[in-house]
Amino acid sequence: MNAEVEVVVTGVGAVTCHGVGAGELWRAMTAAGTRLPDRPADPLALMDLPLINLVPDLDLPGLDLTSERATRFASLAAAEALADAGLDAGALDAVRSAVVLGSCMGEPGVNERGRGGARWEPPFRLASALADELGLFGTAVDVANACAAGAYALGVAMDLVRAGEADVVIAGGSDAYSRVALGCFNRLGAVDPERCRPFESDRAGTVFAEGAGVLVVESAAHARARGALDLGDGRVLSLGGVGWSCDGDHPTAPREDGEQIVRAMRRALGEPPYDVGCVVPHGTGTRLNDVLESRLLRRVLGAGTDGRAGRVPLYSLKALLGHAGGASAALGVVAGALILRHGVVPGNVPVKEQDPECEVWLPEGAVPLGVRRVLVNAYGFGGNNASVVLAAEAGGSSFVGGSDA
Amino acid sequence: MREIAVTGVGVVSPWGDEPAAAAAYGGLPAGGGEWFDHRVRLGARGYKYLPAAAQYVLAAARAAVAGGAWADAVPADRRGLLLATNAGLAGVYDAMDATVAERGADGLSPALAPYFAANVLGNRLAAELSLHGFALTVATARTAALDALSTGASALAAGRCGALLLAAAEEPVPAPRGGGGEQGAVVLALEPLTAARARGAAVHTTLRARSVFLPPGALARPEGRERAARVLDRVLEELVPGARLHEGASAVAGEGPGVSGDTGQVPGGPVSSVLGVHLDLDTSPVSEAVAGALAGVRTRVGAEQDELPPRRIGCLGPALALAHAVTVRDGGQRLVVSATGAGQVAFVRVSPVQDRLTQELQHAEVA
């Protein structure tokens, strides 16, 4: 392991409830419109609130609830990310390229009644499907860390590059509609009947979403050797750090003291001062989590998140997309990349009345990005915490090696 | 830091908790009857509502860290968990799907509802042993436990933790969904060799893992097969340098099921060329490529072909083979290999270590 190895993100791809492509995601971010959830055409979804933000099938022939949706989302996002990185899949060094994909559910439809076959099949096969499609011979790992899976996948990718085991890792997360997951969230009373409304006073839970976020994670040396760093257009970003921690406590509720969440954030941020220009929070809309994350952001970043002091804006992505489970963190990092590339934090989806216990700054209008570093948080059942820091000026003098070692 | 020391092993299996006996059955589920009583194995209260696989993994972990030295070796924030599972919650998931589809989500058990997410299977273990460093769940079909070792080695090297538990757990697939699968759990306590020695732990074996992917689509073409052969040769040379046969020599062949402890001699090679190989392969072109590469490796025991269970669902079989290889302690190196038709290929080399304390004792005896 060589902590001096700078790891960069050279390409991003996204599939969301707003359509296919990071361009569509950015358009939705800048429009900041409200999207009401869908009701999947699943007659067996017997629950009070069968609500989820589905990926629209307008441009995706054959995409129904019996198709392998998560696999397809990952494939589409990966193709976009590779093109964005200027990498032709056929020209990749197949032996030095790997795939790491996170997911909460894998490909759940194959094992749900009326959607898959009669026999149970291992649902976590997204990485092998993508690696086969791309013809890669590096490792292909399926990470199943619930709603933090995408961030864990990025950490695994970073470690692979730093260890010299891969030059390029196609990494991220993908998740699709699962009847069981939605049923369980209904049973736990964690679904908002209106839409996903993080940090609002009367929020009542989250709303799931489908989607995939995929990034091309690469050693800076490899990116430099192929000329990707020479363009000087700020498209290549530095993967500054990925922090992990585990509450080791309640299966669904975060530890009240938040110590492990703070530790993951600090590890991703590296040495103080913890300056960031934007936070893409986990912010799901569940009551306890939003309050706790707000409090812990203030603890780590100082009072600046509430608009009174350092004014660190939050971009509340799930208000726009819903909660895309194991893809949500990867989509958060893709959104962070777009914010860094454009140098602006788009206005948030308007909040009717912000919870006074959530002392964070959610600007409704676009604000210029100050410090060119974005912090992305992700938390999952099982107390699985992760934070990711993405920064501009990849390959430049700003890289501080060892921040994640 | 790719070499990881094993300082504890725990196995829970319907066929007994002794690694050799359990490995001989390759994760085969119990034929019937109650073989695991959580009240006896875990405690009178507090475990009833855990899914069976979560109960197995707790019991196996307690065995792996018996004595408490592993847990005391590093602070809680430096302890990591690698959870590997494929079908550990398949029965729970299927039952919840039936409930939602037939009676509605209100009929779900709130205690089991969080287990729609596979990683929650390890939550109680992380809580009981204060594994706060991280909990990473690898769910890749069949090779998850071996793949997790590669990932764990990188996490150790990255400083994400100072010690690790590798936990593999499976539970059979319900009969109406095809049945089969595996049952039980394996837990290995792991840490860097230097750290284990520094605290005076007895270390008998170290592990070095490497996972690669052979795209099935590429194997349909001659150039793809040639590239796969080069990749596999490189991995084998990295893991067992010098073990490749010279051209024209012949490998020791054999496919005896079960577990062998033969310690025959290998002609003309350094210690690193001595291998017992456990093969966990199917009939796919991927496995064919792996078998071809291994045919060129010197082995002193016949390659053990894992033929149980017939339908390879679950990651426990390779994990049990690993637990057995770690505990044989006959002085020989072993290689545990698993491959799937989907393209996953994982290798773990198990190397004997002459413990420093043992060495010192021997020196004292000589003196």
Side-chain angles (χ1 to χ4, degrees):
Chain A
M1 183 66 56
N2 186 350
E4 298 299 322
V5 173
E6 185 184 8
V7 183
V8 296
V9 169
T10 52
V12 299
V15 174
T16 73
C17 62
H18 294 281
V20 176
E24 290 299 320
L25 172 58
W26 183 250
R27 268 189 283 280
M29 289 169 74
T30 50
T34 298
R35 185 198 192 282
L36 298 179
D38 305 297
R39 288 178 177 258
D42 178 3
L44 301 182
L46 304 182
M47 57 194 78
D48 291 340
L49 299 168
L51 306 177
I52 181 170
N53 292 350
L54 296 170
V55 168
D57 57 6
L58 294 176
D59 302 323
L60 301 171
L63 184 73
D64 59 27
L65 292 187
T66 63
S67 61
E68 299 204 348
R69 298 169 73 86
T71 305
R72 193 156 174 194
F73 300 156
S75 170
L76 288 165
E80 184 190 13
L82 284 166
D84 187 42
L87 283 166
D88 181 341
L92 278 174
D93 181 344
V95 178
R96 299 282 303 160
S97 302
V99 174
V100 186
L101 286 179
S103 182
C104 182
M105 306 306 296
E107 196 61 81
V110 299
N111 291 318
E112 294 185 349
R113 282 159 180 73
R115 300 184 63 198
R119 291 166 73 95
W120 188 89
E121 298 291 341
F124 287 90
R125 52 200 190 179
L126 307 184
S128 54
L130 182 57
D132 187 31
E133 179 188 329
L134 298 176
L136 304 183
F137 286 73
T139 189
V141 184
D142 278 296
V143 172
N145 274 59
C147 298
Y152 277 80
L154 284 168
V156 172
M158 185 179 205
D159 293 350
L160 279 171
V161 171
R162 282 193 167 171
E165 293 186 11
D167 295 326
V168 175
V169 185
I170 318 298
S174 183
D175 254 316
Y177 166 67
S178 158
R179 179 193 304 139
V180 172
L182 194 46
C184 289
F185 255 56
N186 268 263
R187 183 65 184 88
L188 294 168
V191 181
D192 191 304
E194 187 178 329
R195 59 183 176 82
C196 190
R197 300 176 297 138
F199 307 110
E200 283 205 6
S201 284
D202 63 345
R203 67 193 181 281
T206 197
V207 169
F208 278 146
E210 294 188 315
V214 174
L215 301 98
V216 175
V217 176
E218 192 172 352
S219 75
H222 186 267
R224 186 176 292 112
R226 67 181 183 87
L229 294 181
D230 298 338
L231 301 175
D233 56 1
R235 294 182 63 79
V236 176
L237 304 164
S238 176
L239 185 56
V242 181
W244 299 343
S245 70
C246 177
D247 281 356
D249 197 46
H250 193 273
T252 60
R255 224 171 82 168
E256 202 172 340
D257 65 13
E259 277 184 20
Q260 294 305 325
I261 287 177
V262 166
R263 199 168 63 79
M265 272 197 264
R266 287 183 172 152
R267 183 180 166 94
L269 287 161
E271 297 299 318
Y274 302 128
D275 291 335
V276 297
C278 176
V279 176
V280 180
H282 185 59
T284 59
T286 50
R287 294 209 62 81
L288 180 61
N289 290 21
D290 289 1
V291 171
L292 182 68
E293 187 178 11
S294 300
R295 178 156 55 86
L296 299 176
L297 280 169
R298 289 169 58 82
R299 191 190 299 175
V300 173
L301 302 178
T305 52
D306 68 351
R308 286 194 294 268
R311 297 179 68 81
V312 179
L314 267 63
Y315 184 75
S316 179
L317 184 64
K318 290 184 181 68
L320 184 78
L321 303 183
H323 186 353
S328 63
L331 282 167
V333 179
V334 170
L338 298 175
I339 288 168
L340 283 160
R341 285 179 177 180
H342 289 274
V344 63
V345 183
N348 280 282
V349 173
V351 176
K352 282 180 292 187
E353 180 187 342
Q354 187 168 336
D355 184 346
E357 286 192 83
C358 298
E359 293 184 89
V360 292
W361 183 31
L362 297 163
E364 291 195 4
V367 296
L369 181 68
V371 178
R372 295 176 70 80
R373 288 214 303 172
V374 175
L375 169 69
V376 180
N377 288 337
Y379 310 120
F381 276 12
N384 290 186
N385 313 309
S387 290
V388 180
V389 168
L390 202 59
E393 298 181 47
S397 57
S398 67
F399 173 68
V400 181
S403 64
D404 193 57
Chain B
M1 192 201 303
R2 315 306 293 168
E3 204 82 24
I4 311 177
V6 183
T7 55
V9 179
V11 169
V12 166
S13 152
W15 313 101
D17 296 349
E18 202 281 311
Y25 285 90
L28 190 71
E34 296 292 324
W35 64 274
F36 184 92
D37 185 340
H38 62 83
R39 287 159 300 194
V40 173
R41 299 295 298 268
L42 298 174
R45 289 178 182 275
Y47 303 98
K48 181 178 176 183
Y49 296 108
L50 285 179
Q55 295 174 350
Y56 306 154
V57 86
L58 265 182
R62 288 181 185 178
V65 302
W70 178 88
D72 294 338
V74 294
D77 285 356
R78 301 274 299 148
R79 297 175 206 151
L81 169 62
L82 300 166
L83 175 69
T85 191
N86 294 161
L89 294 171
V92 173
Y93 194 90
D94 188 57
M96 292 199 294
D97 187 46
T99 300
V100 173
E102 293 160 15
R103 292 192 287 136
D106 287 348
L108 293 171
S109 155
L112 287 179
Y115 290 93
F116 75 85
N119 63 315
V120 181
L121 199 159
N123 181 70
R124 188 65 173 270
L125 171 58
E128 187 167 299
L129 295 179
S130 299
L131 308 177
H132 296 313
F134 65 83
L136 177 71
T137 301
V138 178
T140 314
R142 194 60 181 168
T143 57
L146 307 190
D147 290 342
L149 269 176
S150 294
T151 308
S154 295
L156 272 170
R160 296 188 185 279
C161 60
L164 278 165
L165 288 188
L166 170 69
E170 297 291 355
E171 180 69 349
V173 173
R177 303 309 304 268
E182 302 178 322
Q183 192 168 39
V186 170
V187 173
L188 301 183
L190 308 166
E191 59 191 294
L193 180 60
T194 49
R197 281 183 160 158
R199 68 179 177 87
V203 179
H204 300 287
T205 49
T206 62
L207 306 178
R208 188 178 172 99
R210 189 84 162 84
S211 293
V212 294
F213 188 80
L214 303 185
L219 295 185
R221 300 182 296 275
E223 62 271 24
R225 291 192 292 274
E226 287 166 15
R227 176 175 263 179
R230 288 197 300 274
V231 167
L232 294 170
D233 281 354
R234 194 178 305 169
V235 170
L236 286 169
E237 186 57 31
E238 177 187 322
L239 288 179
V240 282
R244 302 285 300 162
L245 285 170
H246 296 297
E247 201 166 338
S250 60
V252 178
E255 284 195 351
V259 179
S260 169
D262 186 0
T263 55
Q265 296 298 307
V266 172
V271 172
S272 65
S273 68
V274 181
L275 278 179
V277 182
H278 178 96
L279 287 176
D280 172 63
L281 305 178
D282 55 20
T283 55
S284 66
V286 175
S287 288
E288 194 179 319
V290 174
L294 284 164
V297 173
R298 294 190 184 95
T299 57
R300 68 174 174 180
V301 297
E304 301 148 10
Q305 180 80 36
D306 183 1
E307 294 180 345
L308 296 171
R311 191 168 167 235
R312 304 185 327 143
I313 288 182
C315 66
L316 196 59
L320 283 165
L322 187 59
H324 173 244
V326 164
T327 49
V328 170
R329 293 178 193 167
D330 61 0
Q333 282 196 111
R334 278 174 161 70
L335 200 59
V336 177
V337 185
S338 181
T340 73
Q344 306 289 347
V345 184
F347 298 84
V348 179
R349 187 196 68 204
V350 181
S351 304
V353 172
Q354 194 168 29
D355 189 74
R356 192 166 60 187
L357 295 178
T358 308
Q359 289 175 325
E360 287 168 358
L361 196 61
Q362 288 171 341
H363 292 156
E365 286 172 355
V366 170

